[in-house]
Amino acid sequence: MRIILSILFMTLLLIANKLFAGIHNVPIVIPAHTIRAVQYHPVKMYRVFRTEKDGSAAPIPFQIDEKDRYGDYILDEGPLPNTKFSNGIFDNKDEISIMGNDVGLAKIPNKWPFKKPSILYEVLFKKDHNQGAVYVGVYYRDPPPLSPRRYVSFNINRAEILTSRYRYRFDRSNYLIIRGVDIVKNRKDLIPLIDTSTLFLQADLKYFLTLSVNEENIESNLEAYKKGPVRCIARVNFNYSILKLNFDLGMYTEVSFFSNSVILPALVDNPLDGKKVLNKGSQFYYGFALVDNPRDLSIETNMPEYRESNILDFLKGKKKVEKQYWFTALSSNYMIYVEMAPSIQMQKTGSVPMFFKEDVSANQLKKRPSYANPLGESRANFAISLDLTSFTEGVHIIAIRLYVENKRNPKILEEYKTIKDWTTDSRRIRAAKYK
């Protein structure tokens, strides 16, 4: 009996230690309407805590990002800040963000090294037999200081995002172009990951002309941005005019940078019905020049392999369409995991993303010309491509998530893949239980 009790105690201790270290390594973004109990207080009144093993409350980094009635983030810096649309209240589509490794024990704090909150809420996270919680406090007056820790920094003058996992450098004259992505090792060493990025669009208009463009032909501008301790958000517009058509193909986004990930919900305003006005061979891709040769990486994906469309495609029947596509690329120094969710319209028409890789290094790619070229001839050895002939007219929302980790760890990779299996619930804690 003692042996059984000892094993049970050790099991519980291991679970507690796991929760003490957080539930996972993935950012957690919680819309206000999914934790209704926590809503409707002024943003400045909130603080977020975790419960330590001794029962004490410890402040953790968090941020609240408001949205306007159109669903756009309220961003306070840049040429076109939209703070005038803020109501200062955490409600509706607003979001609260934390990191999964900051989640603590699902235990109401009983030790407060600082002033107790006027109101306390529990936000509980569950997956299978694992659980953890954070505690959201509301202060009517004199809230304690915020956690000084920052997970991400945005230096607009150097045009870079820096986290503990990566450095992302962009081109301020063209926000489509990545000037480089480096893996951060040992807090200071940088290992080059991506040399540059490129975009290609070929529109073969029926009875008209064939047009090929790349990122140099597309205008971009940074409208506004926000620098927070958990994520930085930037709103960027892109557009390209084909004669008298305003062709905004996937070029409006509010991209979020976290310590180990980038979330890019791209808005595609497509004025062309590909099936009616485009010939086979019309395509769009966004690609990267990986510094490593792709043949030296461990790559897995559920995307179909890239191939050019042809006039006999109709004989092959309707394509199998997934609600979510992904690929992973692993080396000894890093892991990349990318998810892409096609719009509802794309799923209906079978417009699925295709995966392309070419076994050449970034140094070899530099010898190729920089002008618009199809895959296999361009400066990309790694790309996602779309067949534009199945791309319908209208507005599409394409959600893309990129995770970057500066070590090779299959366990963390599984956390990325199963993040949607976690459930979230909230409740208000009676004052007698924490005071």
Side-chain angles (χ1 to χ4, degrees):
M1 184 68 179
R2 288 182 178 178
I3 295 175
I4 295 174
L5 289 175
S6 296
I7 293 173
L8 180 60
F9 174 77
M10 290 301 296
T11 302
L12 291 173
L13 184 60
L14 287 172
I15 292 173
N17 285 337
K18 179 180 179 182
L19 292 173
F20 177 71
I23 54 175
H24 55 60
N25 291 275
V26 185
I28 300 174
V29 180
I30 313 168
H33 63 83
T34 65
I35 48 172
R36 297 184 184 279
V38 186
Q39 294 187 93
Y40 307 125
H41 300 288
V43 169
K44 294 181 180 180
M45 289 184 175
Y46 286 92
R47 294 293 185 270
V48 181
F49 315 103
R50 61 179 285 163
T51 303
E52 306 286 19
K53 286 194 293 185
D54 64 355
S56 63
I60 64 171
F62 77 99
Q63 73 184 75
I64 292 177
D65 298 303
E66 291 184 84
K67 290 188 173 184
D68 63 20
R69 60 179 180 173
Y70 303 107
D72 292 334
Y73 288 106
I74 303 296
L75 306 180
D76 58 353
E77 296 187 67
L80 295 172
N82 58 342
T83 49
K84 65 181 180 181
F85 298 110
S86 166
N87 66 357
I89 304 295
F90 178 57
D91 59 4
N92 301 321
K93 296 180 180 180
D94 297 348
E95 297 172 349
I96 188 167
S97 299
I98 60 173
M99 289 299 296
N101 51 282
D102 279 331
V103 175
L105 298 170
K107 175 184 177 182
I108 301 170
N110 55 27
K111 297 179 182 177
W112 295 87
F114 38 79
K115 180 182 175 182
K116 296 177 183 179
S118 306
I119 302 174
L120 186 68
Y121 300 96
E122 179 184 69
V123 180
L124 189 66
F125 306 97
K126 288 185 178 180
K127 175 180 173 287
D128 300 327
H129 300 293
N130 299 317
Q131 70 173 10
V134 295
Y135 292 86
V136 181
V138 175
Y139 288 82
Y140 291 145
R141 63 178 64 181
D142 302 325
L146 295 166
S147 169
R149 282 189 295 143
R150 297 186 66 88
Y151 282 106
V152 58
S153 65
F154 182 14
N155 188 316
I156 190 67
N157 295 323
R158 291 207 302 260
E160 71 176 29
I161 301 287
L162 182 63
T163 80
S164 60
R165 268 82 160 194
Y166 66 88
R167 181 180 68 170
Y168 181 104
R169 292 174 292 134
F170 53 90
D171 189 331
R172 281 181 294 181
S173 63
N174 191 330
Y175 289 93
L176 277 174
I177 298 175
I178 294 174
R179 291 192 297 118
V181 177
D182 306 303
I183 296 294
V184 177
K185 298 289 285 188
N186 304 320
R187 297 187 180 182
K188 59 180 181 179
D189 297 330
L190 296 174
I191 299 175
L193 171 63
I194 295 173
D195 186 63
T196 187
S197 63
T198 185
L199 171 149
F200 175 77
L201 186 150
Q202 179 169 294
D204 186 1
L205 295 162
K206 292 181 178 179
Y207 318 113
F208 199 37
L209 53 82
T210 298
L211 194 68
S212 297
V213 300
N214 67 2
E215 64 278 356
E216 295 176 0
N217 307 107
I218 296 175
E219 296 180 357
S220 69
N221 65 288
L222 176 68
E223 282 194 353
Y225 61 92
K226 177 181 178 180
K227 297 183 289 189
V230 178
R231 69 169 164 178
C232 294
I233 308 173
R235 179 182 301 119
V236 185
N237 269 311
F238 308 93
N239 65 80
Y240 176 74
S241 296
I242 298 178
L243 301 180
K244 293 184 179 180
L245 294 174
N246 186 22
F247 197 77
D248 292 328
L249 181 59
M251 301 307 160
Y252 168 81
T253 185
E254 291 180 319
V255 57
S256 293
F257 296 90
F258 293 87
S259 66
N260 60 354
S261 61
V262 180
I263 299 178
L264 193 154
L267 182 67
V268 179
D269 187 6
N270 179 23
L272 302 178
D273 188 326
K275 188 174 181 180
K276 292 181 180 179
V277 303
L278 295 177
N279 290 317
K280 295 295 181 181
S282 298
Q283 64 168 302
F284 168 82
Y285 74 75
Y286 192 81
F288 306 96
L290 287 180
V291 173
D292 291 333
N293 191 317
R295 72 173 174 225
D296 298 326
L297 304 174
S298 299
I299 297 175
E300 294 183 1
T301 182
N302 69 341
M303 295 183 191
E305 187 176 349
Y306 167 77
R307 64 173 183 81
E308 292 186 10
S309 61
N310 61 67
I311 59 175
L312 297 179
D313 281 350
F314 72 93
L315 295 175
K316 299 179 181 179
K318 192 173 181 180
K319 300 175 184 175
K320 181 183 177 182
V321 179
E322 305 286 348
K323 291 185 178 180
Q324 185 169 284
Y325 291 88
W326 58 267
F327 71 78
T328 59
L330 283 71
S331 81
S332 58
N333 290 312
Y334 61 82
M335 302 187 303
I336 302 173
Y337 175 66
V338 176
E339 288 181 350
M340 177 179 177
S343 68
I344 299 298
Q345 301 95 315
M346 292 170 68
Q347 294 176 35
K348 289 180 180 178
T349 59
S351 182
V352 303
M354 293 177 287
F355 181 79
F356 169 87
K357 70 180 180 70
E358 184 180 3
D359 292 339
V360 295
S361 67
N363 283 334
Q364 293 171 292
L365 292 174
K366 289 178 181 177
K367 300 175 183 178
R368 296 179 179 177
S370 62
Y371 52 77
N373 270 322
L375 289 169
E377 302 173 28
S378 73
R379 291 188 173 184
N381 56 9
F382 208 70
I384 297 177
S385 175
L386 290 172
D387 177 4
L388 292 182
T389 58
S390 59
F391 209 55
T392 58
E393 181 180 359
V395 176
H396 302 258
I397 298 176
I398 305 174
I400 300 174
R401 294 172 179 264
L402 164 66
Y403 296 94
V404 179
E405 190 60 56
N406 57 359
K407 56 187 173 183
R408 182 168 180 152
N409 187 330
K411 179 183 175 183
I412 296 177
L413 194 63
E414 190 62 25
E415 291 176 352
Y416 296 155
K417 293 181 178 180
T418 59
I419 184 62
K420 293 182 180 178
D421 296 339
W422 286 88
T423 61
T424 306
D425 197 9
S426 62
R427 63 173 179 143
R428 180 170 175 171
I429 304 299
R430 286 187 300 166
K433 289 190 174 183
Y434 72 94
K435 291 185 177 180

